[in-house]
Amino acid sequence: MLFRSIDRVSGTLAQQQILRGTVLLGELGCAQCHRGGELVMSHLQPKRAPNLEAVGKRVQVDHLRAWIADPHAAKPGTTMPDVFAGLSAEAKAQKVESLVHYLAQSGSPIHTAPAQQAIKRGEQAFHRIGCAVCHGQLNGESPPTDAVPLGGLSRKYTIASLTQFLQDPLAVRPSGRMPPLNLNPEEARDIASYLLRDIKSAANVKYDYYEGTWDKLPDFANLKPQSSGEASGLDVNLGRPDNFALRFRGFLQVATEGEYRFHLGSDDGSRLLIDGKEIARMDGVHPLQFAMGRVKLAPGAHALVVEYFEGGGQQELRLEYEGPNLPRQSVEGALTLDEKPPGDDRKPFVVKPELAEAGKREFEQSGCKACHQPEPELKGSVALTELRPQRGCLAEMPQGKAMSYHLAPAQRAALAAALGYLKQPNLAQPSPVDQVDRKS
């Protein structure tokens, strides 16, 4: 956990120590459980905890479990405390599991594999938009010492949930330092695909590859393929860069009955057929353009064919869909080689009502609610200025119900200096300069 740029602030060592401590009091959320009155609170910059509404739809269950059990192992330096640090391993596991079931009630993430073309576009956007300035190059080079690490994203997010976060990061993390980047949905999906590129995907379509020169889609029935095989997704980089055509065949697995909208985009021409019926066509020679088609689908497997040709210049093929409870996304994660549904290592997580109810009580009693759903007034809580620096959460080895923030000795010393300062009977309002220093 960093002191950020406080060491660059002018003042005596004692003043800098107090500044470090007041910043930590805000960053750690101490004021959410221990309020101090308007004057004391004016010296803090309380950090708002992440918004947990619909967290089950955003975050994978395994990550939730690991995060609650040991947040400092999941993300070294986090301001999230180890809530159950003083309990036995068995008692801790029970409480963690109840919280997982409570939080997972809001739904579950949609799992799809990244499309290869989206990964390529996402890598370009990652550097063009400036993500690499804060997060490093992600190309194997050693990142700068001040780079914000992005490790383990595929254990936490899916493409759909990371896309949603990238479009509005402050909606989930109101006190986060990642700014809104004004990404459109396509840019956000591409960057999410790039960041989650380590999600592996097996071959899920068959293809026939042809070479020739066309200005519109050829009659594939009268062509002899140059080669045939299996591919992962609608990959158009299977032969030479220009003057070729591809015909992909597979099955679209549909979970929910309803109307689906398909968005077929290509440079140059393309056509989509489902169960032998043409759904969308974007023919001719042109830059990337989209056509949209609708069709009602029943649950199960549906034969899917995508035809494509490339004249010259750029080559690109995209097929996205949306439908009942399904945000717009690539179809590639729902394609299979045959009609049999794919095996899924991620067994559906089933919320147990009794555990969810126990988790709701734990959320309120263990202090989670104080940070994630703060109330205007706290009743029965020890005031901030009455805290004893060597006790409770601030102790070297927190015991019992006290949370562990994994504080370093220097951090505990800074917190003690800040608490002593805030107890002064003649405490003054912070000056504008003080307020700027606390936000630095």
Side-chain angles (χ1 to χ4, degrees):
M1 194 182 303
L2 304 177
F3 280 127
R4 300 191 294 179
S5 57
I6 295 171
D7 286 333
R8 296 194 292 271
V9 175
S10 61
T12 66
L13 291 177
Q15 289 171 329
Q16 290 187 15
Q17 187 78 325
I18 290 168
L19 179 58
R20 292 187 180 98
T22 53
V23 168
L24 274 174
L25 286 172
E27 290 282 307
L28 300 177
C30 303
Q32 303 293 1
C33 290
H34 308 283
R35 306 277 170 88
E38 187 175 343
L39 178 58
V40 170
M41 295 297 291
S42 69
H43 285 262
L44 307 181
Q45 298 291 335
K47 177 183 178 182
R48 294 171 61 190
N51 179 359
L52 296 183
E53 184 179 355
V55 67
K57 293 182 179 179
R58 299 196 310 268
V59 178
Q60 299 189 52
V61 166
D62 289 344
H63 175 82
L64 268 180
R65 186 180 289 112
W67 178 262
I68 298 171
D70 193 348
H72 294 271
K75 184 180 180 181
T78 181
T79 55
M80 163 89 175
D82 185 344
V83 180
F84 306 116
L87 301 183
S88 66
E90 183 180 358
K92 181 177 187 176
Q94 291 176 349
K95 291 182 179 293
V96 168
E97 196 63 20
S98 68
L99 281 172
V100 168
H101 281 257
Y102 170 62
L103 295 173
Q105 289 182 110
S106 58
S108 57
I110 300 169
H111 291 281
T112 59
Q116 292 303 310
Q117 292 295 318
I119 292 174
K120 294 177 182 178
R121 294 192 304 269
E123 181 176 13
Q124 294 172 353
F126 184 87
H127 294 87
R128 182 182 73 251
I129 292 168
C131 309
V133 174
C134 290
H135 299 290
Q137 297 296 321
L138 305 190
N139 58 1
E141 297 180 5
S142 299
T145 55
D146 59 349
V148 179
L150 289 174
L153 286 179
S154 60
R155 294 192 297 271
K156 179 179 181 180
Y157 291 108
T158 63
I159 291 174
S161 64
L162 184 54
T163 297
Q164 183 181 27
F165 171 78
L166 290 173
Q167 287 185 269
D168 190 1
L170 295 180
V172 176
R173 299 179 185 171
S175 290
R177 297 189 180 95
M178 177 168 170
L181 298 173
N182 297 318
L183 302 176
N184 62 43
E186 181 181 288
E187 289 172 326
R189 282 197 303 274
D190 288 346
I191 293 175
S193 298
Y194 172 58
L195 294 176
L196 301 179
R197 63 195 180 279
D198 57 333
I199 297 177
K200 302 302 180 184
S201 55
N204 55 6
V205 292
K206 298 177 182 178
Y207 72 86
D208 295 312
Y209 169 77
Y210 311 84
E211 293 183 350
T213 302
W214 304 278
D215 58 11
K216 64 180 181 178
L217 284 164
D219 181 359
F220 285 88
N222 294 320
L223 295 180
K224 182 179 180 180
Q226 191 89 5
S227 63
S228 299
E230 298 177 352
S232 175
L234 307 178
D235 187 358
V236 297
N237 297 295
L238 298 172
R240 64 188 188 186
D242 296 317
N243 298 316
F244 68 88
L246 283 161
R247 190 169 188 260
F248 296 97
R249 293 170 289 119
F251 289 86
L252 176 68
Q253 300 290 339
V254 173
T256 305
E257 182 175 3
E259 183 180 82
Y260 289 80
R261 294 173 297 282
F262 289 83
H263 305 269
L264 176 66
S266 60
D267 174 355
D268 293 306
S270 60
R271 183 168 77 125
L272 166 67
L273 299 97
I274 296 179
D275 295 331
K277 178 183 177 182
E278 181 177 302
I279 305 301
R281 179 191 286 260
M282 178 50 67
D283 208 349
V285 176
H286 48 75
L288 178 65
Q289 296 180 30
F290 280 86
M292 192 272 282
R294 304 169 186 264
V295 62
K296 279 192 172 183
L297 297 175
H302 296 267
L304 179 144
V305 175
V306 177
E307 299 173 344
Y308 169 78
F309 85 92
E310 163 63 17
Q314 298 295 318
Q315 63 264 14
E316 194 160 3
L317 175 63
R318 304 188 205 177
L319 180 58
E320 300 169 347
Y321 74 146
E322 54 189 323
N325 300 316
L326 189 74
R328 181 170 170 172
Q329 59 192 275
S330 171
V331 301
E332 294 188 9
L335 298 179
T336 55
L337 286 169
D338 53 39
E339 296 183 67
K340 184 180 178 181
D344 191 353
D345 294 334
R346 303 183 184 93
K347 295 180 180 179
F349 181 77
V350 179
V351 174
K352 296 180 180 179
E354 65 277 13
L355 277 177
E357 187 60 33
K360 180 180 179 181
R361 293 192 298 270
E362 201 63 57
F363 188 81
E364 295 175 352
Q365 296 170 4
S366 298
C368 308
K369 185 176 181 180
C371 281
H372 294 284
Q373 296 175 3
E375 298 176 352
E377 294 183 8
L378 286 174
K379 297 179 180 179
S381 176
V382 177
L384 192 68
T385 52
E386 296 177 10
L387 293 179
R388 301 169 76 175
Q390 305 305 322
R391 303 284 296 276
C393 301
L394 304 183
E396 183 175 357
M397 296 291 292
Q399 302 294 323
K401 294 184 178 181
M403 302 179 183
S404 174
Y405 287 89
H406 289 216
L407 296 170
Q411 292 169 326
R412 291 200 305 275
L415 287 166
L419 289 172
Y421 173 78
L422 295 175
K423 290 179 182 178
Q424 295 179 93
N426 59 344
L427 181 66
Q429 287 280 353
S431 69
V433 173
D434 291 335
Q435 292 177 337
V436 170
D437 286 345
R438 284 166 173 76
K439 291 183 178 180
S440 63

